[in-house]
């Protein structure tokens, strides 16, 4: 059965198709196993034997304009069902309220400085729109984001439009970002980049926690890194606080080791990270699966004249959906602090879900 990923990097007009023409993708149970490998990576939030890191082998790599992807005919013979079809669990407002109370009580008791609560929402499928068509719409609607559509028999279909870099670079030149804090653009603010908005103390604190954690991770691999920010960046109808890290990685064969430390970042998990991760996995009512994991090309030739080095572009899987025959499973989450309120956090997830809902409602 064919496995493939098609992706478009931010601000590019062309996309890249990575196909594995024989066999199944490699299944890995640790980010460290990505050391020295190449292909397209699809990693879950929680890595298990039933939900592994998947590495699609690049048997065939093609570049094309994203406007032309529907002419490929690649999805005609692929099934829409997959093994996780029956495990879908939607979070309505009542179940979200239960999760929020549970998570927030841990913050009030001092167990965590921050913890991320995610939820899943179902949208009906019209049965006519193909995954490739949704990919093209995402490329058209979100030129600033990393857009990716992935299919394997193990994972099913996942479409992502994300602004958050986990790790990218080539040779020994690398970068990552801290992205946290969210506000929705409305009215006249939609005409700009959010430069006139004022950030709350809660958002500033949340972003600082993530940036500090990433700096501590990088210090274990290199002494040569710079930090710039935070500054406001726009992603669709939302804005976030972002800090950029650029660094020299002396040994590029240790990318997997660095990913093991970075993933999941506090932006999708919490702090202390290990304790927050365990609590989320045990208590969140909607399993995240491949939401808030990461995906992207690992060590692939860019196929352009700008560089001869293999490149890596790994992004956190935010603003994503699992495409099923009868419905779309949309995912979103938000970082909770001690002063967070249920209604405010619910509305933040609603704003984030709008990124994928827009594609389902778009007629173009």
């Amino acid at each position: 059965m064919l496995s493939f990923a098609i992706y478009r990097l931010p601000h590019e007009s062309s996309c890249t198709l990575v196909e594995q023409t024989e066999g199944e993708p490699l299944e890995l149970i640790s980010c460290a196993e990505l050391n020295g490998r190449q292909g397209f990576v699809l990693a879950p939030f929680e890595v298990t034997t039933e939900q592994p890191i998947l590495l699609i082998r690049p048997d065939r790599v093609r570049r094309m304009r994203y406007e032309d992807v529907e002419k490929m005919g690649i999805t005609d013979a692929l099934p829409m069902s997959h093994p996780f079809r029956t495990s879908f669990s939607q979070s309505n407002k009542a179940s979200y309220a239960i999760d929020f109370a549970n998570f927030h009580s841990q913050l009030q008791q001092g167990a965590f400085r921050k913890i991320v609560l995610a939820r899943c929402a179902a949208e009906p499928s019209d049965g006519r729109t193909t995954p490739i068509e949704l990919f093209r719409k995402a490329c058209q609607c979100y030129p600033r984001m990393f857009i990716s559509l992935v299919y394997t028999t193990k994972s099913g279909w996942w479409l992502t439009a994300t602004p958050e870099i986990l790790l990218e670079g080539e040779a020994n030149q690398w970068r990552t970002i801290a992205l946290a804090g969210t506000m929705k653009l409305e009215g006249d603010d939609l005409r700009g980049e959010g430069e006139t908005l004022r950030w709350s103390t809660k958002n500033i604190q949340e972003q600082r926690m993530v940036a500090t954690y990433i700096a501590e991770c990088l210090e274990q691999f290199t002494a040569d890194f710079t930090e710039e920010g935070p500054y406001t960046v726009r992603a669709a109808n939302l804005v976030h606080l972002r800090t950029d890290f650029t660094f020299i990685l002396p040994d590029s064969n240790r990318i997997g080791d660095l990913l093991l430390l970075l993933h999941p970042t506090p932006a999708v998990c919490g702090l202390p990270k290990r304790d927050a991760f365990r609590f989320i996995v045990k208590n969140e009512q909607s399993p995240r699966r491949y939401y808030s994991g990461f995906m992207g090309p690992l060590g692939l030739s860019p196929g352009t004249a700008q560089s001869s080095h293999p490149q890596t572009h790994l992004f956190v899987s935010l603003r994503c959906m699992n495409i099923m025959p009868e419905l779309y499973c949309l995912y979103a989450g938000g970082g909770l602090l001690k002063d967070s309120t249920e209604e405010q956090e619910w509305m933040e997830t609603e704003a984030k879900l709008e990124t994928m809902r827009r594609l389902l409602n778009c007629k173009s």
Side-chain angles (χ1 to χ4, degrees):
M1 178 60 65
L2 177 71
S3 300
F4 82 96
I6 186 167
Y7 66 91
R8 192 221 58 198
L9 296 175
H11 305 290
E12 288 198 346
S13 59
S14 62
C15 58
T16 303
L17 173 65
V18 180
E19 297 175 87
Q20 180 167 333
T21 56
E22 294 182 358
E24 297 291 340
L26 189 62
E27 298 184 10
L28 309 173
I29 59 171
S30 170
C31 290
E33 294 183 66
L34 292 170
N35 283 337
R37 298 188 186 274
Q38 67 169 185
F40 188 96
V41 180
L42 177 64
F45 176 72
E46 179 196 15
V47 181
T48 66
T49 53
E50 292 301 315
Q51 189 173 267
I53 299 170
L54 298 170
L55 184 64
I56 297 174
R57 188 177 65 243
D59 293 339
R60 186 164 55 199
V61 179
R62 291 185 280 166
R63 286 177 64 87
M64 69 200 76
R65 299 192 315 158
Y66 75 78
E67 295 91 342
D68 297 331
V69 295
E70 289 170 271
K71 301 175 184 177
M72 295 185 306
I74 189 173
T75 63
D76 293 347
L78 296 181
M80 287 289 291
S81 61
H82 58 80
F84 289 95
R85 179 176 169 184
T86 58
S87 67
F88 166 69
S89 175
Q90 180 177 204
S91 298
N92 57 28
K93 200 164 186 180
S95 62
Y96 181 83
I98 294 171
D99 275 356
F100 180 88
N102 188 16
F103 280 50
H104 195 245
S105 68
Q106 299 297 310
L107 292 164
Q108 293 176 316
Q109 294 168 24
F112 310 113
R113 285 180 285 156
K114 169 192 173 176
I115 190 165
V116 175
L117 173 59
R119 69 183 184 95
C120 183
E123 295 289 339
S125 169
D126 61 13
R128 298 185 302 272
T129 305
T130 67
I132 285 289
E133 190 177 347
L134 290 173
F135 172 83
R136 179 189 56 78
K137 289 181 180 180
C139 291
Q140 181 180 354
C141 291
Y142 305 123
R144 308 167 189 228
M145 295 189 187
F146 173 78
I147 311 296
S148 180
L149 175 68
V150 185
Y151 173 82
T152 74
T153 54
K154 189 80 172 182
S155 64
W157 292 88
W158 286 84
L159 177 68
T160 300
T162 177
E164 185 171 355
I165 300 165
L166 179 63
L167 183 65
E168 70 174 3
E170 59 182 285
N172 64 353
Q173 303 288 325
W174 294 83
R175 70 174 180 140
T176 185
I177 68 171
L179 192 76
T182 301
M183 284 198 291
K184 185 176 181 179
L185 292 176
E186 297 177 303
D188 291 341
D189 289 330
L190 286 166
R191 300 174 183 173
E193 301 298 312
E195 62 274 8
T196 62
L197 297 178
R198 298 190 63 176
W199 289 95
S200 67
T201 300
K202 182 258 186 186
N203 279 302
I204 294 171
Q205 288 177 341
E206 184 183 349
Q207 204 279 339
R208 186 65 249 163
M209 289 179 188
V210 178
T212 299
Y213 176 82
I214 290 176
E216 291 172 350
C217 289
L218 295 180
E219 286 171 352
Q220 300 183 42
F221 285 81
T222 179
D224 190 354
F225 72 89
T226 60
E227 177 180 346
E228 296 182 6
Y231 59 96
T232 300
V233 293
R234 181 173 177 174
N237 63 334
L238 304 176
V239 288
H240 306 284
L241 281 171
R242 170 172 165 167
T243 299
D244 293 340
F245 295 86
T246 56
F247 57 98
I248 301 296
L249 191 60
D251 184 0
S252 61
N253 287 320
R254 294 189 63 198
I255 291 174
D257 295 335
L258 179 53
L259 289 169
L260 183 63
L261 203 57
L262 288 174
H263 172 68
T265 73
V268 297
C269 186
L271 287 169
K273 191 177 88 165
R274 185 171 298 179
D275 293 337
F277 175 82
R278 284 197 292 258
F279 186 86
I280 289 168
V281 169
K282 183 178 179 180
N283 292 279
E284 224 168 42
Q285 293 189 55
S286 297
R288 297 189 183 188
R289 302 188 47 236
Y290 286 90
Y291 163 69
S292 68
F294 63 90
M295 64 173 64
L298 173 70
L300 293 185
S301 172
T304 65
Q306 284 77 15
S307 175
S308 59
H309 296 288
Q311 296 182 357
T312 293
H313 300 278
L314 301 176
F315 286 74
V316 182
S317 302
L318 306 178
R319 319 293 191 271
C320 68
M321 65 176 163
N322 183 199
I323 303 171
M324 296 186 180
E326 301 90 3
L327 52 81
Y328 305 101
C329 306
L330 282 58
Y331 292 82
L336 309 187
L337 300 181
K338 190 178 293 186
D339 60 351
S340 296
T341 65
E342 179 191 327
E343 184 63 23
Q344 183 182 39
E345 296 300 331
W346 171 267
M347 293 308 297
E348 180 175 317
T349 61
E350 282 291 293
K352 290 175 177 176
L353 289 170
E354 184 59 30
T355 300
M356 287 288 120
R357 283 175 174 154
R358 180 183 175 190
L359 302 179
L360 302 179
N361 298 324
C362 178
K363 302 298 182 183
S364 64

